[in-house]
Amino acid sequence: MSRKAENISIVFIGAGNLATQMALAFLKQEGIDITQIYSRTEKSAKELADKCKCAYTNDILDIRNDADYYIYAVKDDALGELIDNISIDTGIHAHTAGSVPMRIFEKKRTNHGVFYPLQTFSKNKSVRFDNIPIFMEANSDEALRNLTHLAQKISSKVTTCNSTQRQAIHLAAVFCCNFTNHLFNIADNILKSNELPFEYLLPLIQETVDKLQTLSPTDAQTGPAVRYDKNVISKHLKALENMPNEQTIYELLSKNIHKTNKLTN
Amino acid sequence: MSRKAENISIVFIGAGNLATQMALAFLKQEGIDITQIYSRTEKSAKELADKCKCAYTNDILDIRNDADYYIYAVKDDALGELIDNISIDTGIHAHTAGSVPMRIFEKKRTNHGVFYPLQTFSKNKSVRFDNIPIFMEANSDEALRNLTHLAQKISSKVTTCNSTQRQAIHLAAVFCCNFTNHLFNIADNILKSNELPFEYLLPLIQETVDKLQTLSPTDAQTGPAVRYDKNVISKHLKALENMPNEQTIYELLSKNIHKTNKLTN
């Protein structure tokens, strides 16, 4: 690819769902060049590099040392070792993990920070970045200014937070994305065993989310657990007899809804 | 109000959120008259009757006996006694409860059935009915035909199911509406204790739901629990030390996600 000298250059460390979606969002912007993709797996590196029309490598020693930004989008477990093994000490290095403190970079002398987009990324489902909150943290004013500038290229919701707050955001996200999706999965299984399609639930699910535009989750709470309606709850627990884990989840969530509701009313 | 002889007439038994939203949906249709509202609480009966410009009563013996339909939209607990005490044996009587079998009407000699709209109804939040699935059941072909005709006036998604299926739908709805909203509430509390606004989570929540248009909940599952990432999970459990119930919920859901994911991959 042709590269303009005044353009910002980015090397991606990682080629999974998050790296792919971020790279595709940056590709659409003027003045940004993705110059290389590193992944432990050559196939993944090549796949994303082909999309970005750039170089790729699966050898840490081949990572180019002239980039403005190094964005680490890899599994949390792999992050520490990678940071230790990448000896490049120029450019700004930033990881994208919700639950990893910025101090994982502390041995590095370079400018560094965190660039955490709050979203769920799946294969085969592209997302628009402009609406996604990106949480920034950096070890210097200069790094923070530059990382913020970069983030604002793809999102209108860029904000700073510290590592403790970012961990809280990640934890909250697990509840309202990963766990919520699991409840949808349980609902799907209940319907399947009664020969009913999941599609029936979609308007209800959308309304449950739409309510959050005007009501707090506390005010929006409905259902038999609010008043602990024993009649309905015991019928439901009986219907879950063959799904003991889901039965426990049902009982635990119902009790907690009742308790929370008593405390707030 | 002026009433045309050929119009369909409805009496509502109950004046809560569901009765109100249904009555307002029917009011917008041609050829339907709401002729009376009954509620145990005179104030509630009057409030809805004012909106419907119709009569109201809080005396069971005053319920008029010339309506085509009697729609019972009251709490499950109150339903049996009300049905026993309303001696009118003309018209079609239908309740709207997910978990109450149709046989609750069995002592009645009239045509009867169930008219169950699958949605969450809150005060101060109006909903559009046209998209809401309504599940019908009736004790005769004639009652089913008439109830279906009535339901189709307000919704394009009218379908029949038996009492067992309807209970499964209600149970699934508890998981993906009431319980989901409770997870949003927990997420809100986690953010609040870190001085962060709930609004940050809205794009993530919307994307979690949007995914269901193209992916099954099983395929859409992401997060640390899928591979049981002990590193992240133990950090999160530690962060929940002061919220022991939520900590238990976190652990239980994570284990169940991991187990479900192992079974399906």
Coordinates of all heavy atoms in Angstrom, one line a residue, chain A residues 151-216:
Chain A
A151 N -8.8 7.6 19.2 CA -10.1 7.0 19.5 C -11.2 7.8 18.9 O -12.2 7.3 18.4 CB -10.3 6.9 21.0
Q152 N -11.1 9.2 18.9 CA -12.1 10.1 18.4 C -12.3 9.9 16.9 O -13.3 10.3 16.3 CB -11.8 11.5 18.8 CG -12.2 11.8 20.3 CD -11.7 13.1 20.8 OE1 -10.8 13.7 20.2 NE2 -12.2 13.6 21.9
K153 N -11.3 9.3 16.2 CA -11.4 9.1 14.8 C -12.6 8.0 14.5 O -13.2 8.1 13.5 CB -10.1 8.5 14.2 CG -8.9 9.4 14.3 CD -8.8 10.1 12.9 CE -7.6 11.0 12.9 NZ -7.5 11.8 11.6
I154 N -12.8 7.1 15.5 CA -13.8 6.1 15.2 C -15.0 6.2 16.2 O -16.0 5.5 15.9 CB -13.2 4.7 15.3 CG1 -12.4 4.4 16.6 CG2 -12.3 4.4 14.1 CD1 -11.9 3.0 16.8
S155 N -14.9 6.9 17.2 CA -16.1 7.0 18.2 C -16.3 8.4 18.6 O -15.4 9.2 18.9 CB -15.9 6.1 19.4 OG -16.8 6.4 20.4
S156 N -17.6 8.7 18.9 CA -18.0 10.0 19.4 C -18.1 10.0 20.9 O -18.4 11.0 21.6 CB -19.3 10.5 18.8 OG -20.3 9.6 19.1
K157 N -17.8 8.8 21.5 CA -18.0 8.7 23.0 C -16.7 8.2 23.6 O -16.6 7.1 24.2 CB -19.1 7.6 23.3 CG -20.5 8.0 22.8 CD -21.5 7.0 23.4 CE -22.9 7.4 23.0 NZ -23.8 6.3 23.3
V158 N -15.7 9.1 23.6 CA -14.4 8.8 24.2 C -14.3 9.4 25.5 O -14.6 10.6 25.7 CB -13.3 9.3 23.2 CG1 -11.9 9.0 23.8 CG2 -13.4 8.7 21.9
T159 N -13.9 8.7 26.5 CA -13.8 9.2 27.9 C -12.6 8.6 28.6 O -12.1 7.5 28.1 CB -15.2 9.0 28.6 OG1 -15.1 9.6 29.9 CG2 -15.5 7.5 28.7
T160 N -12.2 9.2 29.7 CA -11.1 8.6 30.4 C -11.6 7.9 31.7 O -12.7 8.3 32.2 CB -10.1 9.6 30.9 OG1 -10.7 10.6 31.6 CG2 -9.4 10.3 29.7
C161 N -11.0 6.9 32.2 CA -11.3 6.3 33.5 C -10.0 5.6 34.0 O -9.1 5.3 33.2 CB -12.5 5.3 33.4 SG -12.1 3.8 32.6
N162 N -10.0 5.3 35.3 CA -8.8 4.6 35.8 C -9.0 3.1 35.7 O -10.1 2.6 35.4 CB -8.5 5.1 37.2 CG -9.6 4.8 38.2 OD1 -10.3 3.8 38.1 ND2 -9.8 5.8 39.1
S163 N -8.0 2.4 36.1 CA -8.0 0.9 36.0 C -9.1 0.3 36.8 O -9.8 -0.7 36.4 CB -6.7 0.3 36.3 OG -5.7 0.7 35.3
T164 N -9.4 0.8 38.0 CA -10.4 0.3 38.9 C -11.8 0.5 38.3 O -12.6 -0.4 38.2 CB -10.4 1.0 40.3 OG1 -9.0 0.9 40.8 CG2 -11.3 0.3 41.2
Q165 N -12.0 1.7 37.7 CA -13.3 2.0 37.1 C -13.5 1.1 35.9 O -14.6 0.6 35.6 CB -13.4 3.5 36.7 CG -13.6 4.4 37.9 CD -13.6 5.8 37.4 OE1 -12.7 6.3 36.7 NE2 -14.6 6.6 37.8
R166 N -12.4 0.9 35.1 CA -12.5 0.1 33.9 C -12.9 -1.3 34.3 O -13.7 -2.0 33.6 CB -11.2 0.2 33.1 CG -11.4 -0.5 31.7 CD -10.2 -0.3 30.8 NE -9.0 -0.9 31.4 CZ -8.1 -0.3 32.0 NH1 -8.1 1.1 32.0 NH2 -7.1 -0.9 32.5
Q167 N -12.3 -1.8 35.4 CA -12.7 -3.2 35.8 C -14.1 -3.3 36.2 O -14.8 -4.3 35.9 CB -11.8 -3.6 36.9 CG -11.7 -5.2 37.1 CD -11.2 -5.7 38.4 OE1 -10.8 -4.9 39.2 NE2 -11.3 -7.0 38.6
A168 N -14.6 -2.2 36.8 CA -16.1 -2.2 37.2 C -16.9 -2.2 35.9 O -18.0 -2.9 35.9 CB -16.4 -1.0 38.1
I169 N -16.5 -1.4 34.9 CA -17.3 -1.4 33.7 C -17.3 -2.8 33.0 O -18.3 -3.2 32.6 CB -16.7 -0.3 32.7 CG1 -16.8 1.1 33.3 CG2 -17.3 -0.4 31.3 CD1 -16.0 2.1 32.6
H170 N -16.1 -3.4 33.0 CA -16.1 -4.8 32.4 C -17.0 -5.7 33.2 O -17.7 -6.5 32.6 CB -14.6 -5.3 32.4 CG -14.4 -6.6 31.7 ND1 -13.6 -7.5 32.1 CD2 -15.0 -7.0 30.6 CE1 -13.6 -8.6 31.3 NE2 -14.5 -8.3 30.3
L171 N -16.9 -5.7 34.5 CA -17.8 -6.5 35.4 C -19.3 -6.3 35.1 O -20.1 -7.2 34.9 CB -17.5 -6.3 36.8 CG -18.3 -7.0 37.9 CD1 -18.2 -8.5 37.7 CD2 -17.8 -6.7 39.3
A172 N -19.6 -5.0 35.0 CA -21.0 -4.6 34.7 C -21.4 -5.2 33.3 O -22.5 -5.6 33.1 CB -21.2 -3.1 34.8
A173 N -20.5 -5.1 32.4 CA -20.7 -5.6 31.0 C -21.0 -7.1 31.0 O -21.8 -7.6 30.2 CB -19.6 -5.2 30.1
V174 N -20.2 -7.8 31.8 CA -20.5 -9.3 31.9 C -21.9 -9.5 32.3 O -22.6 -10.4 31.8 CB -19.4 -9.9 32.9 CG1 -19.9 -11.4 33.2 CG2 -18.0 -9.9 32.3
F175 N -22.4 -8.8 33.3 CA -23.8 -9.0 33.7 C -24.8 -8.7 32.6 O -25.7 -9.4 32.4 CB -24.1 -8.1 35.0 CG -23.7 -8.8 36.3 CD1 -22.5 -8.6 36.9 CD2 -24.6 -9.7 36.9 CE1 -22.1 -9.2 38.1 CE2 -24.2 -10.4 38.1 CZ -23.0 -10.1 38.7
C176 N -24.6 -7.5 32.0 CA -25.7 -7.1 31.1 C -25.5 -7.5 29.6 O -26.3 -7.3 28.8 CB -26.0 -5.6 31.3 SG -24.8 -4.5 30.8
C177 N -24.4 -8.2 29.3 CA -24.2 -8.7 28.0 C -24.1 -10.3 28.1 O -25.0 -11.0 27.7 CB -23.0 -8.1 27.3 SG -22.5 -9.0 25.8
N178 N -23.0 -10.8 28.6 CA -22.7 -12.2 28.6 C -23.8 -13.0 29.4 O -24.3 -14.0 28.9 CB -21.4 -12.5 29.3 CG -20.2 -11.8 28.6 OD1 -19.2 -11.5 29.3 ND2 -20.3 -11.4 27.4
F179 N -24.1 -12.5 30.6 CA -25.1 -13.2 31.5 C -26.5 -13.1 30.9 O -27.3 -14.0 30.9 CB -25.1 -12.7 32.9 CG -23.8 -13.1 33.7 CD1 -23.6 -12.6 34.9 CD2 -22.9 -14.0 33.1 CE1 -22.4 -12.9 35.6 CE2 -21.8 -14.4 33.8 CZ -21.5 -13.8 35.1
T180 N -26.8 -11.9 30.4 CA -28.1 -11.6 29.7 C -28.3 -12.6 28.6 O -29.3 -13.2 28.4 CB -28.2 -10.2 29.3 OG1 -28.3 -9.3 30.5 CG2 -29.3 -9.9 28.4
N181 N -27.3 -12.7 27.7 CA -27.3 -13.6 26.6 C -27.6 -15.1 27.1 O -28.3 -15.8 26.4 CB -26.1 -13.5 25.8 CG -26.2 -14.4 24.5 OD1 -26.9 -14.1 23.6 ND2 -25.5 -15.6 24.5
H182 N -27.0 -15.4 28.2 CA -27.2 -16.8 28.7 C -28.6 -17.0 29.2 O -29.2 -18.1 29.0 CB -26.2 -17.0 29.9 CG -26.3 -18.4 30.4 ND1 -26.1 -19.5 29.6 CD2 -26.6 -18.9 31.7 CE1 -26.3 -20.6 30.3 NE2 -26.6 -20.3 31.6
L183 N -29.2 -15.9 29.7 CA -30.7 -16.1 30.1 C -31.5 -16.2 28.8 O -32.5 -17.0 28.8 CB -31.1 -14.8 30.9 CG -30.5 -14.6 32.2 CD1 -31.1 -13.4 32.9 CD2 -30.6 -15.8 33.1
F184 N -31.1 -15.5 27.7 CA -31.8 -15.8 26.4 C -31.7 -17.2 26.0 O -32.6 -17.8 25.5 CB -31.3 -14.8 25.3 CG -31.4 -13.4 25.6 CD1 -30.5 -12.4 25.0 CD2 -32.4 -12.9 26.5 CE1 -30.7 -11.1 25.2 CE2 -32.5 -11.5 26.7 CZ -31.6 -10.6 26.1
N185 N -30.5 -17.8 26.2 CA -30.2 -19.1 25.9 C -31.1 -20.1 26.6 O -31.7 -21.1 26.1 CB -28.7 -19.4 26.1 CG -28.2 -20.6 25.3 OD1 -29.0 -21.2 24.5 ND2 -27.0 -20.9 25.4
I186 N -31.2 -19.9 27.9 CA -32.1 -20.7 28.8 C -33.6 -20.6 28.3 O -34.3 -21.6 28.1 CB -32.0 -20.3 30.3 CG1 -30.6 -20.6 30.8 CG2 -33.1 -21.0 31.1 CD1 -30.4 -20.0 32.2
A187 N -34.0 -19.4 28.0 CA -35.4 -19.2 27.5 C -35.6 -19.9 26.2 O -36.6 -20.6 26.0 CB -35.6 -17.7 27.3
D188 N -34.6 -19.9 25.3 CA -34.6 -20.6 24.0 C -34.8 -22.1 24.3 O -35.6 -22.8 23.6 CB -33.3 -20.3 23.3 CG -33.3 -20.9 21.9 OD1 -34.4 -21.2 21.3 OD2 -32.2 -21.0 21.3
N189 N -34.0 -22.6 25.2 CA -34.1 -24.1 25.5 C -35.5 -24.5 26.1 O -36.0 -25.5 25.8 CB -33.0 -24.5 26.5 CG -31.7 -24.4 25.9 OD1 -31.5 -24.5 24.7 ND2 -30.6 -24.3 26.7
I190 N -36.1 -23.6 26.9 CA -37.4 -23.9 27.5 C -38.4 -23.9 26.3 O -39.3 -24.8 26.3 CB -37.8 -22.8 28.5 CG1 -36.9 -22.9 29.8 CG2 -39.3 -22.9 28.9 CD1 -37.0 -21.7 30.7
L191 N -38.3 -22.9 25.4 CA -39.3 -22.9 24.3 C -39.1 -24.1 23.4 O -40.0 -24.8 23.0 CB -39.1 -21.6 23.5 CG -39.6 -20.3 24.2 CD1 -39.8 -19.2 23.1 CD2 -41.0 -20.5 24.9
K192 N -37.8 -24.4 23.1 CA -37.5 -25.6 22.2 C -38.1 -26.9 22.7 O -38.7 -27.6 22.0 CB -36.0 -25.8 22.1 CG -35.3 -25.1 20.9 CD -33.9 -25.6 20.7 CE -33.2 -24.6 19.8 NZ -31.9 -24.2 20.4
S193 N -38.0 -27.1 24.0 CA -38.6 -28.3 24.6 C -40.1 -28.3 24.6 O -40.8 -29.3 24.9 CB -38.0 -28.7 26.0 OG -38.2 -27.6 26.8
N194 N -40.7 -27.2 24.2 CA -42.2 -27.1 24.0 C -42.5 -26.8 22.6 O -43.7 -26.4 22.3 CB -42.8 -26.1 25.0 CG -42.8 -26.6 26.4 OD1 -43.7 -27.3 26.8 ND2 -41.8 -26.3 27.2
E195 N -41.6 -27.1 21.7 CA -41.8 -26.9 20.3 C -42.3 -25.5 19.9 O -43.2 -25.3 19.1 CB -42.7 -28.0 19.7 CG -42.1 -29.4 19.7 CD -43.1 -30.5 19.6 OE1 -44.1 -30.3 18.9 OE2 -42.8 -31.5 20.3
L196 N -41.7 -24.5 20.5 CA -42.0 -23.1 20.2 C -40.8 -22.4 19.7 O -39.7 -22.6 20.3 CB -42.6 -22.5 21.5 CG -43.9 -23.0 22.0 CD1 -44.1 -22.7 23.5 CD2 -45.1 -22.5 21.2
P197 N -40.9 -21.5 18.8 CA -39.7 -20.8 18.3 C -39.3 -19.6 19.2 O -40.1 -18.9 19.8 CB -40.2 -20.2 16.9 CG -41.6 -20.1 17.1 CD -42.1 -21.1 18.1
F198 N -38.0 -19.4 19.2 CA -37.4 -18.3 20.0 C -37.9 -16.9 19.6 O -38.1 -16.0 20.4 CB -35.9 -18.3 19.9 CG -35.2 -17.3 20.8 CD1 -35.2 -17.4 22.2 CD2 -34.5 -16.3 20.2 CE1 -34.6 -16.4 22.9 CE2 -33.8 -15.3 21.0 CZ -33.9 -15.4 22.3
E199 N -38.3 -16.8 18.3 CA -38.7 -15.5 17.7 C -39.9 -14.9 18.5 O -40.0 -13.6 18.5 CB -39.1 -15.7 16.2 CG -38.0 -15.8 15.3 CD -37.2 -17.1 15.5 OE1 -37.8 -18.1 15.8 OE2 -35.9 -17.1 15.3
Y200 N -40.7 -15.7 19.1 CA -41.8 -15.1 19.9 C -41.3 -14.1 20.9 O -42.1 -13.2 21.3 CB -42.6 -16.3 20.6 CG -43.5 -17.1 19.7 CD1 -43.7 -18.4 20.0 CD2 -44.1 -16.6 18.6 CE1 -44.6 -19.2 19.3 CE2 -45.0 -17.3 17.8 CZ -45.2 -18.6 18.2 OH -46.1 -19.4 17.4
L201 N -40.1 -14.4 21.4 CA -39.7 -13.5 22.5 C -39.0 -12.2 22.1 O -38.8 -11.3 23.0 CB -38.6 -14.3 23.4 CG -39.1 -15.6 24.1 CD1 -38.0 -16.4 24.6 CD2 -40.1 -15.2 25.2
L202 N -38.7 -12.1 20.8 CA -38.0 -10.9 20.4 C -38.7 -9.5 20.7 O -38.0 -8.6 21.2 CB -37.6 -11.0 18.9 CG -36.6 -12.1 18.6 CD1 -36.3 -12.2 17.1 CD2 -35.3 -11.9 19.4
P203 N -40.0 -9.4 20.5 CA -40.6 -8.1 20.9 C -40.5 -7.8 22.4 O -40.3 -6.7 22.8 CB -42.1 -8.2 20.4 CG -42.1 -9.3 19.4 CD -41.0 -10.3 19.8
L204 N -40.7 -8.8 23.2 CA -40.5 -8.7 24.7 C -39.1 -8.2 25.0 O -38.9 -7.3 25.9 CB -40.9 -10.0 25.3 CG -40.7 -10.1 26.9 CD1 -41.7 -9.1 27.6 CD2 -40.9 -11.5 27.4
I205 N -38.1 -8.9 24.4 CA -36.7 -8.5 24.8 C -36.5 -7.1 24.3 O -35.8 -6.3 25.1 CB -35.8 -9.5 24.0 CG1 -35.9 -10.9 24.7 CG2 -34.3 -9.0 24.1 CD1 -35.1 -12.0 24.0
Q206 N -36.9 -6.7 23.2 CA -36.7 -5.3 22.7 C -37.3 -4.3 23.6 O -36.8 -3.3 24.0 CB -37.2 -5.2 21.2 CG -36.8 -3.8 20.6 CD -35.2 -3.6 20.7 OE1 -34.5 -4.4 20.2 NE2 -34.8 -2.5 21.3
E207 N -38.6 -4.6 24.1 CA -39.3 -3.7 25.0 C -38.5 -3.6 26.3 O -38.5 -2.6 26.9 CB -40.7 -4.2 25.2 CG -41.5 -3.4 26.2 CD -41.8 -1.9 25.8 OE1 -41.6 -1.6 24.6 OE2 -42.2 -1.1 26.7
T208 N -38.0 -4.8 26.8 CA -37.2 -4.8 28.1 C -36.1 -3.8 28.0 O -35.8 -3.1 28.9 CB -36.7 -6.2 28.3 OG1 -37.9 -7.1 28.3 CG2 -36.0 -6.3 29.7
V209 N -35.5 -3.7 26.8 CA -34.3 -2.8 26.6 C -34.8 -1.4 26.3 O -34.2 -0.4 26.9 CB -33.5 -3.3 25.4 CG1 -32.4 -2.3 25.0 CG2 -32.8 -4.6 25.8
D210 N -35.9 -1.2 25.6 CA -36.4 0.1 25.3 C -36.8 0.8 26.5 O -36.6 2.1 26.6 CB -37.6 0.0 24.4 CG -37.3 -0.3 22.9 OD1 -36.1 -0.3 22.6 OD2 -38.2 -0.6 22.1
K211 N -37.3 0.1 27.5 CA -37.7 0.7 28.8 C -36.6 1.5 29.4 O -36.8 2.5 30.2 CB -38.1 -0.4 29.8 CG -39.6 -0.8 29.7 CD -39.8 -1.8 30.8 CE -41.2 -2.2 30.8 NZ -41.5 -3.1 32.0
L212 N -35.3 1.0 29.2 CA -34.2 1.7 29.9 C -33.9 3.1 29.4 O -33.2 3.9 30.0 CB -32.9 0.8 29.6 CG -32.9 -0.6 30.1 CD1 -31.7 -1.3 29.7 CD2 -33.1 -0.6 31.7
Q213 N -34.6 3.5 28.3 CA -34.4 4.8 27.8 C -35.2 5.8 28.7 O -34.8 7.0 28.8 CB -35.0 5.0 26.3 CG -34.3 4.1 25.3 CD -32.9 4.6 25.0 OE1 -32.5 5.7 25.2 NE2 -32.1 3.7 24.4
T214 N -36.3 5.3 29.4 CA -37.1 6.2 30.2 C -37.2 5.8 31.6 O -37.5 6.6 32.5 CB -38.5 6.3 29.6 OG1 -39.0 5.0 29.4 CG2 -38.6 7.0 28.3
L215 N -36.9 4.6 32.0 CA -37.0 4.1 33.4 C -35.6 3.6 33.8 O -34.9 3.0 33.0 CB -38.0 3.0 33.5 CG -39.4 3.3 33.1 CD1 -40.3 2.0 33.1 CD2 -40.1 4.3 34.0
S216 N -35.3 3.7 35.1 CA -34.1 3.0 35.7 C -34.5 1.5 35.7 O -35.6 1.1 35.8 CB -33.8 3.6 37.0 OG -34.8 3.1 38.0

